[in-house]
Amino acid sequence: MFTPEYLNELVESSHAAASEFNMYLINIVIDSVIKLYEYNGTIEITPTNLQRLKQLNEQSGILISEIEKEIRKRLPGVERKIREAFLKAGYEINEDINKSVADMVESDKELKSFVGNAPRLEHLTESEKKLLNIAYKRTRKEIRNLTQTTAADLNQQFLKSCDAAWWKATHGISKNTAIREAISEVSKYGTHVVYRNNGKDRKMTVEAAVRMCVLTGINQANAEIMLTECANAGLRTVLVSSHIGARYTDHDEPANHQSWQGKIYSISDSLLKKIGYKEPKKNFLE
């Protein structure tokens, strides 16, 4: 079982890559604000609203195109860090399996006399590697889908900040102060994705979205590989661990963690089929 500390360690590099990704996109928006108002090295505010809207719409179209181009360019770098996190998780899963088997053999005298020392798996099996790869691809797809919402969200913040700057500059605040405050607002807002949660749209920073997707994907891979190992060992019942402070909500399972932790469950054929498990072929000549 992964500890919170180890999970934080796993996502550290992908979180750093997401932060760098965020910085590049924000700089593009800041450059767009400056381009909209800078003429020959000086800051100018278009006096009429009609002229302002025309220039704003033109710059907005350019901005969306530049953000989408930058996402295509930089997202693979984030994905490489996510891939590394999944590979590290694979090694830890392998060690976890070895420890579980060793503890089980050590605690059962009859089993120990039958098998001797607990067998050690030096590498993940091909089926386990496949499950890990499927979980990674599922995570990558989720992040790509989420980042498709980023350009539109950043553009909305750009338009909002520029509208505020124009209003301030035409109502007594110096134009330099107005633009500086617009840039500050863009920087503080950051880069977000929009995703559906319980039928509602929710905004989340890019860093938080990457962390959420990676942790979910790794935990799913861990659970699926553990279930596969149980099935390979002929075990069809499992005892789920529990911990103090488990999440409690009024929603049904699985949101209410307290309701399902610390219980015994059977591993059904339908569940194994769902995660792609295939029973190893037996050699009947042995």
Side-chain angles (χ1 to χ4, degrees), residues 101-260:
V101 173
D103 289 346
M104 182 174 62
V105 171
E106 191 64 32
S107 63
D108 191 321
K109 292 182 179 179
E110 291 185 5
L111 183 61
K112 187 173 183 178
S113 65
F114 179 73
V115 301
N117 292 326
R120 182 174 180 82
L121 302 173
E122 296 299 334
H123 303 286
L124 290 174
T125 64
E126 288 303 315
S127 63
E128 290 166 349
K129 290 178 183 177
K130 183 179 178 181
L131 286 172
L132 196 66
N133 193 46
I134 290 173
Y136 162 70
K137 288 182 177 179
R138 189 167 57 220
T139 300
R140 183 181 64 182
K141 181 180 179 181
E142 179 70 12
I143 290 173
R144 287 187 177 186
N145 289 340
L146 287 175
T147 52
Q148 287 179 0
T149 67
T150 298
D153 184 65
L154 274 174
N155 184 57
Q156 286 299 315
Q157 182 60 29
F158 165 74
L159 295 173
K160 180 181 177 181
S161 298
C162 290
D163 282 342
W166 182 82
W167 189 93
K168 290 175 183 177
T170 54
H171 286 76
I173 297 176
S174 76
K175 54 190 177 183
N176 287 329
T177 299
I179 302 308
R180 186 166 59 249
E181 289 179 355
I183 291 172
S184 178
E185 284 299 315
V186 167
S187 299
K188 286 191 294 184
Y189 181 76
T191 303
H192 291 71
V193 301
V194 182
Y195 77 101
R196 299 286 290 178
N197 183 36
N198 293 326
K200 297 181 180 179
D201 286 339
R202 178 184 172 188
K203 285 187 180 182
M204 179 180 285
T205 65
V206 165
E207 294 96 329
V210 167
R211 177 183 175 82
M212 176 189 71
C213 290
V214 172
L215 289 180
T216 299
I218 286 175
N219 281 322
Q220 287 176 345
N222 184 27
E224 290 170 358
I225 290 174
M226 287 295 183
L227 289 174
T228 297
E229 283 302 321
C230 287
N232 285 339
L235 302 173
R236 286 308 182 97
T237 56
V238 294
L239 172 62
V240 174
S241 62
S242 62
H243 62 85
I244 296 174
R247 183 192 309 165
Y248 174 81
T249 71
D250 293 331
H251 298 291
D252 295 333
E253 298 178 358
N256 184 5
H257 289 197
Q258 283 188 18
S259 66
W260 53 261

